[in-house]
Amino acid sequence: MRRIAMPWLMLGALLPFGAAHAADLPPLELRSPDGRSVATVSLDGDGRARYAVSRDGQAVLLPSPLGVQLGEDERIERGLRLAGHRYDEHDSEYELVAGKTRQVRDHYRQLEVELADDKGRTLGLVLRAYDDGIAFRYRLPVPATGDLVVKEDLTGFLFPRDYACHALNLGRFGTSHEGEYDPIAASRLRPHHLVELPLVCATGHGNETFAIAEADLDRYAGLYLTGRGDGELGVEAKLSPRLDTPQLAVRLPRDQVAAAGHLTPWRVLMLGDSPGALVESNLVSSLNPPTAIADTSWIRPGKTAWDWWSGGLAADVPDAGMNTATIRRYIDHAAALKLEYMLIDDGWYVGSTGNGRYNEGADITRPIPQLDLPELVEYGRRRGVGIWVWAHWKALAPRMDAVFAQYAGMGIKGVKVDFMDRDDQEMVEFFHAMMRSSARHRLMLNLHGAYRPTGLNRTWPQYLTQEGVLGAENSKWSRRITPRHNLTLPFTRMLLGPMDYTPGGFRNALPRDFEVSFLGPQVMGTRAHQLAMFVVYDSPLQMVADSPEVYVEPAALVAAQAEGRPGQVVAARSHALAPGADVISIVPASWDETRVLAGEIGRYIVVARRSGRDWYIGAMGDEEARTLELDLDFLPAADYRATLWRDGDAATDVHRESRRIDASHRRITLELAAGGGGAVLHLAAPAPRVAGSAL
């Protein structure tokens, strides 16, 4: 961390904490490092604290309420005076072990404010301004006696105009945090709505967009938004209630509150010149503490085969299902496609139901008789495929450390924990307990039935991905997973962190032809649309969701069955793969750099990601056909060997072509089919020349 001279201070001298000031002082201002965004903190004539945000001189948020209600009659929101403030600046870099970028610059300016009331309490406010957003958190006072309790967060977000937004109204607490982010005018957000984060809105100034989010959620309750009931345009905070005392959101024993007060999670306003700029942002991760894990060599992003989504199908295995032969086939499938992992889902341990229901008598450490788990772990090891297993959180919670220790001792690489479906304070604490325990035992995590990300991937890099998204599993029982929905997710849910959508369905159908099927489900849109997800969607553990036989040409499958060698169908023969399956083999799951080249919420997106010296570009479209002209001037000057996979004539067709892109011509045309088109472009950089080598 380096501290920098601050000529940008708007008030001149730094004021020490403890200095008294009148309530009618001019606003305190904090500018982002690039000077474009300004946050102000002020007190009105009644001593009510307000903050406001502008960008390029235009209001994004009007002066909006600050405050908290601790107990029934303990609102800290008015009659406040400024007890002190100070400014600071921080500029450093950190490295993400897995994710959409490797090196992240953490550059912000900070304002700390102390607001005192006539009861002797002091509410702290920590405000940060980044080039890509504004964030603030409270420092809650230490209670004189008893526990620290929080009843309500009184924060508001007041809009200067009727923004066009995208919102997911969950409607209630205690959900899996899955649904559609639908277009909605800000004026139609109602007090009875319970809006999931992020709320994404266009400001009306060009393509400028903002998103309201949360970061560093720890020992606190999850944040939602509701429409306002006072006639003002905007939204206000709503905290997830405790299960034991629903009238409260947070209860902390006094001896667990820091002497300086308890820091709440960050309330985040992501800001960008376009929706794509928000996709590139690492702000939510940056607002979390750095990792304390010194050796991260065991944390390995990758792609995984998966038995549950297709229904455990394996065409060349008699009596396919949750048994050793079927999982061996999936391991062979993973090895053939060069996938790093195989995830064995619900049904593998004694008492697991196979349908997600919790069985109190289940033994989470003992495989069913039909499944020889130690043999499968060893078989996977010989084939270069690590094994993940599924676990219901209720079965895990009572003896989590012992279970994780046993899994690690068996050679398991990671655990998919499921059906938590809450974000109250107790569940948030369970998440952090999982992080600590899994780090001790060197197990990676995939969280399903989970609340949306809050940046934990920086602090706990073994947490690779999570659900909290209306993903491909819903195609098994509904028509909700449309191309338009798929084009909304990158600009909404994915802004917050990794997203286990579970792509890779190869039973592709255009919207008009799509049929719901629980076993061997179809996916809506073209195969190239599915392939592009492996580039567009951020998930350091990417699922390859379908069953083994759909990734193989039918002729190769028949030949293998005739020769009596099930499980050996595609051994190192790329020509035996179904159209597009080679994309899955080569695309990485974690990246060094991410750029959004074009996009519009719900309509199309083009994302370029770099791994090493190579670039991968994924393009996805909605139900409308379109032609995209891309400028590739961001590429380092070189001649690239390009391979393009694009839509064919039918939904399952993928056309592959190769070409060269030289340093003098940096434009390319992508044509996306109607009904969910897609394309993947791999740009292989030339090998660097070795000094003294022949030309």
Side-chain angles (χ1 to χ4, degrees):
M1 174 175 176
R2 59 189 178 96
R3 300 190 185 279
I4 306 169
M6 297 175 282
W8 44 272
L9 292 185
M10 303 305 294
L11 293 185
L14 301 184
L15 300 177
F17 284 114
H21 298 272
D24 58 354
L25 270 179
L28 303 174
E29 293 191 357
L30 181 69
R31 290 185 178 272
S32 59
D34 64 5
R36 296 183 60 192
S37 298
V38 179
T40 63
V41 178
S42 61
L43 291 169
D44 66 15
D46 292 325
R48 291 177 298 189
R50 295 285 186 266
Y51 76 102
V53 177
S54 64
R55 184 172 170 87
D56 295 332
Q58 300 290 328
V60 178
L61 295 181
L62 296 175
S64 301
L66 293 166
V68 63
Q69 182 170 352
L70 300 178
E72 194 61 39
D73 299 311
E74 298 183 77
R75 296 169 73 94
I76 306 180
E77 64 168 341
R78 65 173 63 222
L80 300 173
R81 60 183 177 82
L82 182 63
H85 70 284
R86 65 170 171 243
Y87 289 90
D88 202 354
E89 182 164 1
H90 173 98
D91 191 1
S92 67
E93 286 191 349
Y94 67 90
E95 185 172 290
L96 285 174
V97 175
K100 61 186 174 184
T101 191
R102 176 68 65 175
Q103 296 291 331
V104 181
R105 187 180 183 188
D106 189 20
H107 188 195
Y108 60 84
R109 291 168 175 166
Q110 181 167 292
L111 167 64
E112 293 187 60
V113 179
E114 285 195 345
L115 302 167
D117 68 4
D118 56 9
K119 296 182 180 179
R121 299 172 302 188
T122 300
L123 178 68
L125 178 70
V126 184
L127 182 68
R128 288 185 183 176
Y130 294 78
D131 289 348
D132 53 350
I134 303 293
F136 62 91
R137 70 195 316 179
Y138 298 113
R139 189 184 299 274
L140 303 180
V142 181
T145 59
D147 298 338
L148 172 63
V149 298
V150 178
K151 183 177 176 65
E152 289 186 47
D153 185 325
L154 304 178
T155 304
F157 304 81
L158 300 186
F159 301 160
R161 61 189 66 86
D162 194 4
Y163 289 145
C165 302
H166 280 77
L168 165 55
N169 175 27
L170 291 173
R172 62 182 177 87
F173 301 107
T175 75
S176 58
H177 295 259
E178 299 178 18
E180 292 89 351
Y181 288 83
D182 291 323
I184 187 170
S187 58
R188 298 188 64 81
L189 294 170
R190 306 303 188 197
H192 62 272
H193 290 165
L194 195 65
V195 177
E196 170 70 305
L197 303 180
L199 174 64
V200 179
C201 302
T203 67
H205 299 127
N207 290 321
E208 184 181 74
T209 308
F210 71 83
I212 300 174
E214 178 178 37
D216 195 16
L217 176 59
D218 186 10
R219 298 194 300 156
Y220 215 72
L223 175 69
Y224 296 81
L225 301 171
T226 70
R228 300 184 62 83
D230 58 5
E232 294 189 87
L233 190 61
V235 291
E236 59 189 16
K238 185 76 172 178
L239 296 178
S240 185
R242 290 180 60 91
L243 296 189
D244 56 357
T245 49
Q247 69 273 23
L248 298 178
V250 178
R251 180 186 294 277
L252 282 172
R254 191 173 185 277
D255 60 5
Q256 294 182 19
V257 180
H262 182 72
L263 287 170
T264 71
W266 294 99
R267 280 63 182 108
V268 185
L269 187 74
M270 304 173 69
L271 292 165
D273 291 333
S274 67
L278 302 184
V279 178
E280 297 175 356
S281 172
N282 290 285
L283 180 56
V284 173
S285 295
S286 293
L287 287 163
N288 280 257
T291 185
I293 301 175
D295 177 14
T296 60
S297 60
W298 54 277
I299 302 170
R300 297 188 176 182
K303 300 181 292 293
T304 180
W306 183 33
D307 63 297
W308 182 86
W309 187 77
S310 66
L313 294 178
D316 51 344
V317 177
D319 302 317
M322 187 56 73
N323 55 55
T324 300
T326 301
I327 301 304
R328 280 176 65 101
R329 175 66 186 96
Y330 275 81
I331 292 172
D332 288 334
H333 155 56
L337 280 186
K338 301 177 183 177
L339 313 181
E340 291 82 356
Y341 302 110
M342 167 57 197
L343 169 59
I344 307 174
D345 212 278
D346 187 10
W348 74 268
Y349 57 78
V350 172
S352 53
T353 60
N355 60 11
R357 293 177 182 169
Y358 172 60
N359 176 8
E360 188 174 336
D363 186 346
I364 198 170
T365 64
R366 189 156 57 95
I368 59 175
Q370 302 92 319
L371 194 79
D372 190 339
L373 185 59
E375 191 275 335
L376 289 169
V377 171
E378 172 57 22
Y379 184 71
R381 186 193 65 79
R382 295 198 306 270
R383 302 229 60 192
V385 177
I387 301 298
W388 285 59
V389 294
W390 179 94
H392 197 292
W393 83 273
K394 288 184 178 179
L396 176 65
R399 51 191 184 119
M400 179 164 51
D401 216 50
V403 170
F404 280 171
Q406 183 165 338
Y407 287 173
M410 295 170 63
I412 299 296
K413 301 299 183 184
V415 186
K416 174 182 173 180
V417 185
D418 208 344
F419 288 102
M420 292 158 283
D421 294 348
R422 290 162 38 201
D423 61 351
D424 55 88
Q425 182 189 0
E426 182 183 35
M427 182 54 71
V428 170
E429 290 172 349
F430 175 74
F431 269 49
H432 283 266
M434 271 196 299
M435 298 299 160
R436 292 189 294 270
S437 182
S438 62
R440 279 194 297 272
H441 299 291
R442 295 192 163 203
L443 289 171
M444 293 174 282
L445 288 176
N446 175 7
L447 307 181
H448 269 231
Y451 60 79
R452 67 287 179 288
T454 60
L456 277 173
N457 57 316
R458 181 184 181 189
T459 310
W460 301 106
Q462 83 278 14
Y463 143 67
L464 292 185
T465 193
Q466 70 167 86
E467 200 178 25
V469 61
L470 189 72
E473 68 176 15
N474 288 268
S475 292
K476 292 167 69 71
W477 52 75
S478 79
R479 295 182 58 90
R480 296 173 69 182
I481 309 304
T482 65
R484 179 171 292 274
H485 169 69
N486 294 339
L487 267 300
T488 302
L489 292 176
F491 300 105
T492 53
R493 160 60 182 83
M494 200 178 78
L495 302 182
L496 304 182
M499 185 175 75
D500 193 16
Y501 171 98
T502 64
F506 262 37
R507 294 175 172 87
N508 316 96
L510 295 179
R512 66 176 180 270
D513 302 319
F514 176 83
E515 296 181 358
V516 173
S517 174
F518 190 83
L519 191 65
Q522 293 183 339
V523 288
M524 199 180 295
T526 69
R527 182 167 297 177
H529 182 92
Q530 285 285 314
L531 295 174
M533 292 177 182
F534 287 96
V535 179
V536 173
Y537 287 175
D538 173 20
S539 182
L541 181 71
Q542 279 282 28
M543 298 291 152
V544 179
D546 224 324
S547 53
E549 69 276 1
V550 301
Y551 300 101
V552 183
E553 288 281 17
L557 179 61
V558 171
Q561 291 171 326
E563 295 172 24
R565 50 185 181 90
Q568 306 296 320
V569 176
V570 290
R573 294 189 195 168
S574 61
H575 66 274
L577 297 179
D582 52 338
V583 173
I584 297 172
S585 294
I586 67 169
V587 69
S590 191
W591 306 95
D592 296 316
E593 185 179 349
T594 291
R595 294 172 181 257
V596 178
L597 305 185
E600 185 177 335
I601 299 177
R603 300 194 63 208
Y604 70 97
I605 190 171
V606 185
V607 178
R609 301 192 193 264
R610 179 176 62 84
S611 176
R613 304 180 73 249
D614 289 359
W615 285 87
Y616 298 78
I617 296 176
M620 295 169 60
D622 63 358
E623 288 79 357
E624 178 184 340
R626 55 175 43 82
T627 299
L628 302 173
E629 296 286 340
L630 302 183
D631 189 337
L632 305 180
D633 282 348
F634 65 90
L635 294 172
D639 294 342
Y640 289 83
R641 186 176 69 256
T643 306
L644 175 65
W645 295 262
R646 59 179 177 83
D647 295 315
D649 296 330
T652 55
D653 289 345
V654 178
H655 287 178
R656 173 177 168 165
E657 58 189 72
S658 298
R659 64 179 76 171
R660 295 190 69 83
I661 296 180
D662 61 40
S664 62
H665 183 69
R666 295 302 188 85
R667 296 189 68 81
I668 190 167
T669 300
L670 298 180
E671 294 183 355
L672 307 185
V680 176
L681 178 66
H682 175 212
L683 298 163
R689 291 179 178 174
V690 178
S693 63
L695 297 179

